[in-house]
Amino acid sequence: MVIKQLARHKEENDFEQFYNKISAMEPDLRKFMTRSLKAAENQGAIDRGFYNADELLDEIYLEMFEEFADYMDKEKIKTILFSKAVQKIEEKKIIEQETPEYISTEEMLKEELNALDEQFTMDADGDLILNTELDDISYKQISDRPNNVILDTTLEQELIKKLDLNDSLLPSLERRTTFGALFTNIPPRTKSVLELYAFGNRSHFEISEILEVPETVIDRIMEKMNERFRLIE
């Protein structure tokens, strides 16, 4: 029914009605966009308050209006919408300036998986610390990774809930700082997977469709993410 309505609005060139229908189709899309932009702000990847989730969604819906075809089904449209949302957020970061266009998302995710096992060490007091001197395998560059990031409480709670972590995980500033550093130092494409899962409420299969990578790769990434965050439980 919704697809027929969208097709009619497209045929009539009525973007306003098209917008009203498609924006109500997937409420989690706005949540994903808002949370992901906020996370990027927390990490200093984009300027605070410079980008607006609703404005970016307007761009996405306009693109969807222009590209819409009546052979698309509802799930396909949702996949396209989330894929465009990921692309919009990546465009607002400096990642695209460093990422060679010829490297596929699947190849980058596999390389980032290899990096995830070697991100941490222990200091003399037995406390978990981040090893910030590692090579960034994804982009073959050495970068200084921030270790003093504190995420907004809403983002922390979303991640804790989706990763099924202990509710009392963050009782102190030190724990929150470590949690923020763990999240911030996740490689870029892997972070997109986690944000789609935690902020976009997407399943492993849906993420694989959005990013066009095998579901087995998404499964492995989420296993690594659970291992990573359970280091501070």
Side-chain angles (χ1 to χ4, degrees), residues 30-40 154-155 158 199:
R30 187 180 186 282
K31 176 183 171 185
F32 167 73
M33 181 70 80
T34 301
R35 299 285 193 271
S36 294
L37 285 175
K38 179 61 66 177
T154 301
L155 302 182
E158 290 278 358
F199 305 150

Side-chain angles (χ1 to χ4, degrees), residues 15 72 79 114:
F15 176 66
M72 297 175 178
T79 296
N114 294 330

Side-chain angles (χ1 to χ4, degrees), residues 3-231:
I3 302 301
K4 291 182 179 180
Q5 292 174 332
L6 292 174
R8 185 176 71 254
H9 298 322
K10 173 64 182 292
E11 184 178 356
E12 296 171 351
N13 199 32
D14 188 344
F15 176 66
E16 182 177 356
Q17 290 301 318
F18 184 94
Y19 178 95
N20 291 336
K21 290 289 189 305
I22 201 165
S23 61
M25 181 181 291
E26 182 48 78
D28 283 331
L29 182 66
R30 187 180 186 282
K31 176 183 171 185
F32 167 73
M33 181 70 80
T34 301
R35 299 285 193 271
S36 294
L37 285 175
K38 179 61 66 177
E41 289 178 352
N42 286 175
Q43 299 160 59
I46 60 175
D47 292 336
R48 288 184 179 274
F50 194 77
Y51 298 108
N52 181 281
D54 289 326
E55 290 177 357
L56 295 181
L57 286 172
D58 286 348
E59 294 178 14
I60 291 172
Y61 294 138
L62 180 58
E63 291 175 9
M64 194 71 241
F65 179 72
E66 294 171 347
E67 300 169 12
F68 177 81
D70 56 12
Y71 62 78
M72 297 175 178
D73 60 25
K74 192 173 181 179
E75 293 307 312
K76 178 63 176 177
I77 290 174
K78 289 182 179 181
T79 296
I80 294 173
L81 289 173
F82 272 98
S83 179
K84 286 182 177 295
V86 171
Q87 292 169 15
K88 289 290 181 185
I89 292 168
E90 292 304 302
E91 287 172 2
K92 308 311 175 186
K93 301 177 184 178
I94 61 171
I95 294 173
E96 79 281 353
Q97 299 174 12
E98 303 173 340
T99 306
E101 292 183 0
Y102 62 85
I103 299 180
S104 71
T105 297
E106 181 178 350
E107 289 172 334
M108 285 190 289
L109 284 173
K110 288 180 177 178
E111 290 181 349
E112 289 179 354
L113 272 169
N114 294 330
L116 291 176
D117 291 327
E118 302 178 319
Q119 294 288 328
F120 308 99
T121 186
M122 304 295 287
D123 64 13
D125 297 323
D127 295 325
L128 177 71
I129 60 173
L130 287 157
N131 184 349
T132 59
E133 310 219 343
L134 292 173
D135 286 349
D136 186 341
I137 294 177
S138 300
Y139 306 119
K140 304 297 185 287
Q141 294 180 355
I142 297 177
S143 60
D144 294 325
R145 294 181 178 275
N147 292 333
N148 58 350
V149 174
I150 296 179
L151 298 177
D152 284 5
T153 304
T154 301
L155 302 182
E156 290 174 341
Q157 294 304 321
E158 290 278 358
L159 289 164
I160 289 171
K161 179 180 178 180
K162 289 296 292 186
L163 294 172
D164 196 25
L165 300 174
N166 190 332
D167 287 342
S168 60
L169 181 63
L170 308 171
S172 67
L173 179 61
E174 290 77 14
R175 279 291 186 89
R176 293 190 68 197
T177 301
T178 302
F179 189 88
L182 283 167
F183 179 77
T184 298
N185 285 274
I186 296 170
R189 291 299 186 264
T190 300
K191 190 175 294 175
S192 293
V193 173
L194 181 58
E195 290 179 352
L196 282 166
Y197 179 74
F199 305 150
N201 200 31
R202 299 298 93 185
S203 68
H204 291 194
F205 172 74
E206 289 170 330
I207 295 171
S208 73
E209 292 287 296
I210 291 166
L211 299 180
E212 298 182 333
V213 300
E215 189 175 356
T216 54
V217 174
I218 304 302
D219 291 341
R220 288 175 57 206
I221 286 172
M222 290 311 303
E223 287 175 9
K224 293 293 185 183
M225 290 300 94
N226 277 281
E227 291 173 6
R228 167 180 286 247
F229 284 97
R230 281 188 166 76
L231 288 171

